[in-house]
Structures are given as structure tokens and as C-alpha cells.
């Protein structure tokens, strides 16, 4: 699954770089993305110097070099492994509101070409959990309170030892900002995600399952494995 997604992302990058000077990409930070990123690092014939990287969310309240920070995770797993033209990390301003404004301005500087993302066990996209998700949000980046299911996922993913260690607030790109990209590549492995995938594909489109909004995007590919694919899908490798 990870290799299939990376192959498609690499092909899209080559095609885009053949007809424009720069490509701007947003990346998710999660163990679910690790195999895809590992495969993408080995992709050939990509001029990474013309790729500008962003990420989609970050905890508030963790030390700058904490290993659980998403910027730190992405730097270790991807940003430091390819010669990117620029990397814009969330968390450079100490005041969350100023940081949201700074990152909003960076994202607005030019169109976003690609977003590489996943789906949370509660159906979240980035840190847009069901209690705070707004499919028509007027903001591009905002401060959110994380719900208990989202925080428990971080423990289950072995990113934190206990629930009390997981920050309660974060900064996130909103759903309209994510869906404003030209093309989305959504990588979702594991049995823990099956119910969320089922709701995303077949449930009502709305804030109860934020990932259902992916169905409104004309160029979104969802990559599943046998564990995450709902039973009604006949081709579980990709939907």
C-alpha cells in the first residue's frame, strides 16, 4: 500500500514539475504514513530542490525538540532525507494565534499542489476532530482542542506513554484548506481505521466524520490495506 501510494505521488510530482517551476506539498505526520514516505524517498527523477514542504498540524505545549512533535517526526522520516527546496514547520511563533496567522500567510503565498494525508480513528483530518471540525470553515489554520478519542489514538500509536502525556490543544490546517489543494493522496492502513473508512466512504458527508469531506474533492485517491478496507469493498488494495 505504501509503495503504491508513493509510486502515484512520485508520478504526479514528475508530471507537475515538468510544467511548473515549483511544487508545494503538505504532509501528514503519523506512523500510518511511514511506509509511504520511506518509498517516496527512493523515488527517482524528482528534483526535490523545487519542492516546498509544509505539514498539516502540530501540538501546542511540547518542547521544541520533543520527538512527539510532528515537525520533528517529519524531519526524521522525510524532510531530512531529500534535498527539499524549503520546509516550513509549524511552531516558529510562541503565541499560537500569531503562529496561525504566520502559517496562513505562508500557505496563501501560492496554490498547494498536493496533500499527503491519513484518516484518524474518529474520522479526523489533520486535527479536525468531530467536535471541532467545520467543513465550511472560513479559517485556513486554527487552534483546536483535541477530543479524547484522538488523544487516545496517539497513545495507541505508541507516540505517548499515557493519555495524560498527550497535549490537549493543537494547531491545524482546516478542512477547506486541505481540500483546496489540487490533488490529495490519503493513506490509511490498519484495522483500527476500518470503521472510520467505512463512514468516510458510505456515511453522510458532515462533521460527524470529517474525512467524509474527501468525497467532495475531484482528485482524491484513498489507499487502503486488507485490514482497513471495509468488507463491501471488492478491491481492498485501493479504492
Amino acid at each position: 500500500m505504501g509503495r503504491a501510494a508513493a509510486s502515484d505521488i512520485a508520478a504526479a510530482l514528475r508530471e507537475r514539475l515538468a510544467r511548473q517551476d515549483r511544487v508545494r506539498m503538505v504532509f501528514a505526520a503519523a506512523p500510518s504514513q511511514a511506509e509511504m514516505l520511506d518509498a517516496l524517498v527512493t523515488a527517482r527523477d524528482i528534483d526535490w530542490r523545487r519542492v516546498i514542504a509544509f505539514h498539516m498540524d502540530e501540538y501546542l505545549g511540547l518542547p521544541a525538540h520533543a520527538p512527539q512533535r510532528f515537525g520533528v517526526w517529519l524531519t526524521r522520516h522525510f524532510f531530512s532525507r531529500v534535498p527539499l527546496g524549503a520546509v516550513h514547520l509549524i511552531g516558529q511563533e510562541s503565541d499560537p494565534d500569531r503562529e496561525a496567522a504566520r502559517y496562513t500567510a505562508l500557505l496563501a503565498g501560492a496554490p498547494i499542489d498536493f496533500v499527503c494525508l491519513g484518516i484518524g480513528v474518529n474520522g479526523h483530518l489533520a486535527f479536525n476532530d468531530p467536535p471541532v471540525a467545520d467543513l465550511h470553515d472560513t479559517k485556513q489554520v486554527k487552534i483546536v482542542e483535541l477530543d479524547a478519542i484522538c488523544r487516545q489514538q496517539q497513545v495507541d500509536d505508541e507516540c505517548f506513554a499515557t493519555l495524560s502525556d498527550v497535549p490537549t490543544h493543537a494547531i491545524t490546517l482546516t478542512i477547506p484548506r486541505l481540500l483546496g489543494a489540487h490533488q490529495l493522496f490519503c493513506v490509511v492502513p490498519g484495522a483500527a481505521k476500518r470503521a472510520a473508512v467505512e463512514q468516510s466512504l458510505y456515511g453522510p458527508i458532515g462533521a460527524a466524520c470529517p474525512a467524509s469531506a474527501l468525497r467532495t474533492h475531484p482528485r482524491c485517491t484513498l489507499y487502503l490495506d486488507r485490514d482497513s478496507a471495509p468488507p463491501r469493498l471488492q478491491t481492498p488494495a485501493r479504492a
Side-chain angles (χ1 to χ4, degrees), residues 17-78:
L17 287 167
R19 56 190 178 88
Q20 63 188 49
D21 291 337
R22 296 284 187 274
V23 166
R24 287 158 52 92
M25 298 182 67
V26 177
F27 292 89
S32 63
Q33 308 299 299
E35 291 184 4
M36 179 275 289
L37 293 173
D38 283 343
L40 190 57
V41 165
T42 67
R44 298 183 178 182
D45 302 321
I46 296 174
D47 186 356
W48 291 109
R49 297 167 299 178
R50 294 195 285 134
V51 176
I52 311 302
F54 300 83
H55 60 121
M56 60 182 58
D57 47 11
E58 186 59 271
Y59 295 112
L60 294 177
L62 289 180
H65 300 291
Q68 298 93 341
R69 286 181 67 94
F70 291 155
V72 172
W73 190 93
L74 275 167
T75 297
R76 182 171 70 252
H77 284 268
F78 188 70

Side-chain angles (χ1 to χ4, degrees), residues 212-237:
S212 63
L214 296 174
R215 283 158 41 205
T216 69
H217 197 284
R219 290 173 296 276
C220 176
T221 305
L222 177 63
Y223 301 85
L224 308 174
D225 61 13
R226 292 184 183 275
D227 292 330
S228 62
R232 70 177 84 181
L233 282 181
Q234 298 300 309
T235 54

